[in-house]
Structure formats: structure tokens, C-alpha cells
Amino acid sequence: MKEIGYSELEALFTAALASLESRKAFINSLNVFPVPDGDTGTNMSLTLRTALEEVQKSQPKSMKELVSTLSAGSLIGARGNSGVILSQIIRGMATAADSKPVLTTTDFTQMLTKATEVAYKAVVTPVEGTILTVVRRMAESAAGLQQEDYTDYLAEVIRTGRQAVKETTGQLPALAEAHVVDAGAEGLVTLLEGMLMSLRGETVVSEKLTLKDESKEHVGPQDLTYRYDTVILVASDTLPETEVRAKLTERGDSLVMASAGGLTKIHVHTNEPYDTIQYLMKFAPIREGHIEDMQYQANEYAGGPASGTGSSSKPLASTEGCADDNVQRAYVVVSPGPGFDEIFRKLGAQIIVAGGDTMNPPTEAFVDPIKACNAKSFIVFPNNKNIIMAAQQAADLIDKDVQVLNARHPVQAISALVQLASCGPDDDCMAVANQAIDATDFFAVTCATKNATVCGMLVHEGDYMLFVDDKFVGLGQSVEGALVHLSESPISWDDKSLVSVYRGADFAEAPFDALVATLTRQFPDLEIQPYYGGQAFYGVVGSVE
């Protein structure tokens, strides 16, 4: 095949998605840190899946319509940094293909070249040894190829890509220490490998349902009984199945449990995903979790609003106060749990987007509520380093005054909102918020999900890890044991007066109260304030101000 039309290109992207999903678990396993995170394989596959769902809805009839829809769909569906970069790669490819009725291998080379240019521009500080390196290396390789046949051409491009992926281990110290390749780079080459398999007439088998079948599975009446599609991987294959089935059936439907190889995968539709996670963590650590808002998906397909009329479940993004035409400046915050939701409401946040580690919201989760809000300007707190790029991408897609702050944790947003409460019309409120964010150190304790070497320290599955300002600080055999290392962190303690501690969904009140007492003894000169955060996966998070 020397030329491909729009229908063939759609088939190639569909095969690329199937390839991504078939290796999603492996790509997710390439995380450098052994902690629950917004996994790369999941984020990339969901980004591409949204793009292809948009294609299915619009039924394009030309190359221009197809690539435009793929680009727009990937932009609004982008999740996590890897998903945002993938959306920029697709955007670059679409720009190069936009005016061409059919694509030769020369055209595809131009698509890769433009993809490289756009992707590099999208990242403030490009880092080599990542997906950026691999797309650049493949574009450079393609530019020197003479093959006109797509199968031969793409095989050579992928050969270069595979070698570039292998070399990422030596380009970044964190990858070398973990003995892994870059997950985003692996995902990109996996995507192209799916295209090549399709060209060769080979079947690309996905772990998930087909796009058509999945839309049937998830899209139902506008007012769903159970809103959240929740998939949880528990690090045990010996759960009391009868008890678990009975408990989860009380809370939802469509329950599926499957156990093998020391793991149990649980799928359930529920209105209480955080409570479900908390319940399952009584038996074993959570290896992986994913939550999707089916009500939002259903109403999108039906052409309605994000929340069904009369629905008793919570929307993906609450928008309290946005209907008021007198709102001059609205605050948009990403919240990881119900306790944080309540705190943010009390501090005046108009839009609260559900998200955090393992649940990176897509770009559209910011776009839709901001468009629906009558405020004159918006300040966005992404509250996670893996969500900042999606929020920034959303700001670029909206014709409103939207400023995205570099808030990497919810506690930083809390500090900023407290200061913004007294920010007057003549004050530089962005400077006030940024100053509060910079002055707030944050910490978190979570349970390691696998054995790994981190910063030269051997970490075993089940160990509790303390992170301060996203940097690994120390280990313990319990949450309290890990927090002992807080005083050893590089925080400048001389000007600190307050430690706020937020209890996670999986951490019971009694041990939390004991932990607060320990912190009070450990830091006698500081005020210790306890709260309920309700965040999943992280037993305790907090701030030092």
C-alpha cells in the first residue's frame, strides 16, 4: 500500500488504540516510583479512545474532517502529562495532513516532523529520554527513508523508535535506577506497532471491549442509578469473595470479580467509589484504580448536560455559585476526596473537579464547567503535577480569562484560597496566590505497590513511603513510622508555624488521632491541625506553613 485515505487512517488509529490497550498494564508498570499514580498506559489509551469516540459520533467524510476530529477529540480527552503530549503529537500530525486527500509515506514523514515540533513546543522544559525524544528520533529516521510502501516504511520507523525507547533508560537517572524505559515513549511506539499490525492484516487484540461495544456498555438512560464505573486492582487473590460480593452489591451493580496471580480485579458501578476503595483496602493494598463518570459519558452521547435531571449522584465537576452573574473571579480546584470537597466549598471554590492520583481528569473536565460558568475570570488549581498540563490545555481551548497556577497539591490550593479571601479588587491576586503556593510545603504517605530502588534506597512492596514536595524522603513500616522522617526533610523549619494533616479514606480515626498526638510531641513549637480529606491511596497528606 503506497497511499492511505481517511478511512484507512481511521482504521490505523483504531488499531493503535487496541495495541495501546493490549499493553496498557505493562506500560503502567513502568512507573519509576512504586506508588499509586496517574498511569501512563491508562492516560494515553483514554486520550486516544476519546478521540476515536468523537470520530464515531461525527462520521467524517474526508481526510480534513477526520484529522480535525481526531485532534479535537484528543485535546478534550487528554489525561495526565502523557495524554496531553500525545494529544499534541496527534495535533501536529493532523496539521500536516489537513489539506491532503490521501497520504503517501512522504506525507506521513511530514506528519511526524510536525508532531515533533508541536509536542516540543507544548512542554515548557523539554526533557530528553522521554516520549519527545522518541517522536523526534522517528521523524528524523523517516526523513531519510526512500520506501514508498507503508508496511516497509513504518517497520523502519518503528525499528528506530524501539531503539530510541531502549536508550531512554540511560538518558534519565531515575529510569536507570528503576531499570525501566520511559513509559510514554513505550506507549508511542506501541501505538505505531498497532498501525503496522493493521497494515499487515494482523488482528490487534485489545484487553478492553471494542469502541462500539464499550459505548453500548456505558451509555444508558440520562439518569443512571449508579454513576461511577469503578475498576480496582487489589494486591491479593484470597479476598473473602462471598463477603466482598455481598457488600459491593449493596452499593452498586454490574459487579465482576476475577482473581489470579496474587491479584483480584474488581469492576462495579457505584455512587460511592471512594467508600468502595476504603472498604477493599481493609483486605489488601490497592495496586491500581480507575474511576469514570458514566453519567457524564451518557449525557454527552445523548447531547445533554453533564449531570442528569433528578440524579442523586454527584457530578464529575460541581459548579456551585457559578450561576451568579455577579461572580467576578471563579476558583477552579481539583479535589481528591469528599473531605477536600467540603473544605474547598467553604473557602469559596466555585468549580470542584474530581481528580488526583490514578484519576487524572481529562481536559474537557475543565473546559465544560468553565464554559458554563458566568464568572468574568478564572483561577485554576490543578493540585497535581500530572494534571497541570491538562488544565493549561483547557485554558488554551477556552475564550475566557483563565489562569492556571502551578499548584501541585490540594493543600497548596487551600493555603492560596485562604489568602485570596482578603484579596481586594486593586490587589494582584495572582501574585498573592503564587506566593501562598510557594510558601507551602506538602507531604504525603502512601504504601509501595511493588519492589523498587528509589533514590538509592531499596523499597519493598508494602513499605510506607514519605514524600515531601514530591520528593522521596523516607520509609517506615506504618504511616506513623514513615512520618517520623518528616523532620529530616529539606523543609526550612525556622519560619514554619503550622502543620495541617488530612486523613485519607483508608486510614481509620483511632490511628489517625494517635498520629496527630505523635506529631504534636515531635513538633512541640508548631500548631498541628487535623482534618478529614478522604483522599484515596494516600493514608495521610499534609502541609507545612
Side-chain angles (χ1 to χ4, degrees), residues 305-443:
S307 58
T309 304
S311 174
S312 61
S313 53
K314 296 179 181 178
L316 181 63
S318 66
T319 55
E320 295 183 13
C322 270
D324 186 355
D325 290 332
N326 295 321
V327 175
Q328 296 296 312
R329 181 175 63 243
Y331 301 125
V332 184
V333 297
V334 176
S335 174
F340 277 104
D341 290 354
E342 187 62 27
I343 293 169
F344 284 133
R345 288 190 190 97
K346 290 179 179 178
L347 291 174
Q350 282 78 15
I351 299 174
I352 300 176
V353 179
D357 294 290
T358 80
M359 193 174 68
N360 300 153
T363 300
E364 62 184 329
F366 297 96
V367 172
D368 293 345
I370 290 176
K371 283 184 174 179
C373 189
N374 293 326
K376 303 300 186 293
S377 65
F378 300 81
I379 295 180
V380 182
F381 298 86
N383 297 339
N384 188 292
K385 63 182 180 181
N386 207 34
I387 299 176
I388 292 173
M389 287 187 71
Q392 291 172 333
Q393 184 154 281
D396 292 339
L397 295 172
I398 303 170
D399 189 21
K400 290 188 175 184
D401 179 10
V402 181
Q403 301 291 326
V404 179
L405 298 180
N406 190 38
R408 294 174 291 145
H409 199 279
V411 298
Q412 292 183 311
I414 290 173
S415 299
L417 288 171
V418 169
Q419 297 301 317
L420 285 168
S422 58
C423 186
D426 297 327
D427 297 327
D428 186 347
C429 294
M430 286 294 292
V432 169
N434 282 319
Q435 184 176 2
I437 289 170
D438 293 341
T440 303
D441 294 289
F442 57 92
F443 60 87

Side-chain angles (χ1 to χ4, degrees), residues 179-250:
H179 304 290
V180 295
V181 298
D182 180 73
E186 175 67 32
L188 180 61
V189 175
T190 297
L191 183 155
L192 289 178
E193 286 174 338
M195 292 184 174
L196 180 59
M197 290 178 67
S198 178
L199 286 171
R200 289 173 171 169
E202 302 171 10
T203 301
V204 185
V205 180
S206 169
E207 292 177 343
K208 296 191 67 168
L209 300 169
T210 65
L211 287 170
K212 181 178 179 181
D213 289 339
E214 181 153 340
S215 67
K216 289 179 179 177
E217 172 75 14
H218 282 194
V219 179
Q222 275 211 326
D223 191 8
L224 300 178
T225 303
Y226 296 107
R227 181 169 195 141
Y228 296 103
D229 181 67
T230 306
V231 181
I232 303 168
L233 193 63
V234 184
S236 171
D237 59 3
T238 59
L239 299 185
E241 185 170 347
T242 302
E243 176 188 342
V244 172
R245 284 185 178 277
K247 188 70 172 179
L248 296 188
T249 301
E250 292 176 4

Side-chain angles (χ1 to χ4, degrees), residues 429-503:
C429 294
M430 286 294 292
V432 169
N434 282 319
Q435 184 176 2
I437 289 170
D438 293 341
T440 303
D441 294 289
F442 57 92
F443 60 87
V445 177
T446 190
C447 187
T449 57
K450 63 181 180 180
N451 297 335
T453 300
V454 182
C455 299
M457 188 179 300
L458 182 62
V459 179
H460 296 95
E461 181 178 346
D463 286 345
Y464 286 84
M465 307 175 67
L466 171 65
F467 290 85
V468 177
D469 296 337
D470 282 332
K471 296 179 176 62
F472 175 53
V473 172
L475 284 175
Q477 295 305 303
S478 63
V479 173
E480 188 173 333
L483 267 179
V484 167
H485 300 286
L486 184 60
S487 60
E488 304 166 8
S489 67
I491 293 175
S492 177
W493 293 97
D494 292 341
D495 60 345
K496 305 299 183 183
S497 60
L498 173 65
V499 177
S500 299
V501 192
Y502 300 81
R503 179 169 65 89

Side-chain angles (χ1 to χ4, degrees), residues 91-102:
R91 178 186 172 198
M93 296 177 75
T95 300
D98 182 72
S99 61
K100 303 179 187 297
V102 295

